[in-house]
Amino acid sequence: MDDDAEDFVRAHTRLAAVPYVPEIRLRLVMPGAVPDAGGDDRVYELWERAGRLPFWACPWAGGQALARHVLDHPEIVRGRTVLDLATGSGLVAVAAALAGAALVVANDVDPYALAAVAVNARANGVAVRIAGGDLLDGTPSPQVVLAGDVYYEEPLARRVTPFLSRAGGDVLIGVPDRACSYLPDGVFEQVAVHHVPAYLEDVPSKRTTIYQLSKHAVT
């Protein structure tokens, strides 16, 4: 992992407990359940410095709900191989490792996200394998695929759904209620609902649903 990228992550974040998953501590642009004054400005400043939106520095609702679900139901991942797709901060990957997964692979296209995963995994005392690059044209081989908050943008959704549908194992996603959600009909089945402290959202708490890929889905 690029030492400069890890230094960048550490320089612009602080280690803090994740609001909905306090067992896990991450390097965040703002600590605590409620962003402090001027929080949005700090995110936009980091966006300018990093060259893209710093998904890796924020505990998004989909990832928080999915991480909570995995920790509360460790049998989902225990002893199994896991892919955390579009990992961002690595929150879900860390949760899977803490829940006893045999191997956790965290994937993202953002090099700063990969650096954040490395830093956050060490902060929580777990091993996470890091895989950079775009995987969406391939076929996922792990026994479990996890993805928090990947249905916020239509072009991404169009590619993510076929990728997840090609998985041979279990697929779980975390999807916050948003006007801009592009979750397809008839592909996923609801598993659980969480009310997650929101981060940079339009409400203080965001209803977030855990879905599993339907075995009968046709895409």
Side-chain angles (χ1 to χ4, degrees):
M1 186 53 56
D2 189 330
D3 289 341
D4 289 342
E6 290 193 14
D7 289 343
F8 181 89
V9 168
R10 282 189 288 263
H12 296 286
T13 59
R14 286 182 283 175
L15 193 63
V18 177
Y20 198 58
V21 197
E23 304 97 314
I24 295 176
R25 289 165 60 81
L26 300 178
R27 301 292 312 198
L28 302 176
V29 71
M30 293 170 291
V34 179
D36 54 5
D40 286 8
D41 291 341
R42 292 169 65 183
V43 171
Y44 294 134
E45 179 186 354
L46 184 53
W47 187 348
E48 290 181 0
R49 289 177 179 271
R52 63 175 75 190
L53 184 62
F55 292 110
W56 49 269
C58 303
W60 302 100
Q64 288 195 71
L66 191 53
R68 178 78 273 152
H69 189 76
V70 167
L71 288 178
D72 290 346
H73 303 278
E75 68 278 1
I76 293 169
V77 300
R78 185 184 294 123
R80 308 177 77 189
T81 57
V82 175
L83 169 66
D84 178 20
L85 180 69
T87 188
S89 65
L91 170 58
V92 176
V94 169
L98 289 172
L103 171 68
V104 180
V105 177
N107 164 254
D108 209 287
V109 297
D110 186 341
Y112 288 118
L114 303 180
V117 174
V119 172
N120 289 330
R122 288 197 296 270
N124 289 276
V126 297
V128 173
R129 183 177 297 176
I130 296 168
D134 185 334
L135 304 182
L136 297 182
D137 290 329
T139 298
S141 59
Q143 294 167 300
V144 182
V145 179
L146 305 173
D149 226 333
V150 293
Y151 279 98
Y152 61 90
E153 185 179 65
E154 188 174 13
L156 176 61
R158 286 200 302 265
R159 297 188 64 212
V160 163
T161 301
F163 175 80
L164 297 177
S165 298
R166 290 192 294 270
D170 296 327
V171 175
L172 289 171
I173 62 174
V175 183
D177 283 359
R178 293 199 190 103
C180 60
S181 177
Y182 295 96
L183 185 73
D185 294 331
V187 177
F188 297 95
E189 300 172 350
Q190 181 175 311
V191 173
V193 174
H194 297 259
H195 293 273
V196 181
Y199 204 78
L200 300 178
E201 299 277 4
D202 56 341
V203 291
S205 177
K206 182 68 71 171
R207 184 182 187 273
T208 304
T209 304
I210 304 300
Y211 293 97
Q212 65 181 3
L213 182 71
S214 171
K215 299 301 183 183
H216 308 291
V218 177
T219 60

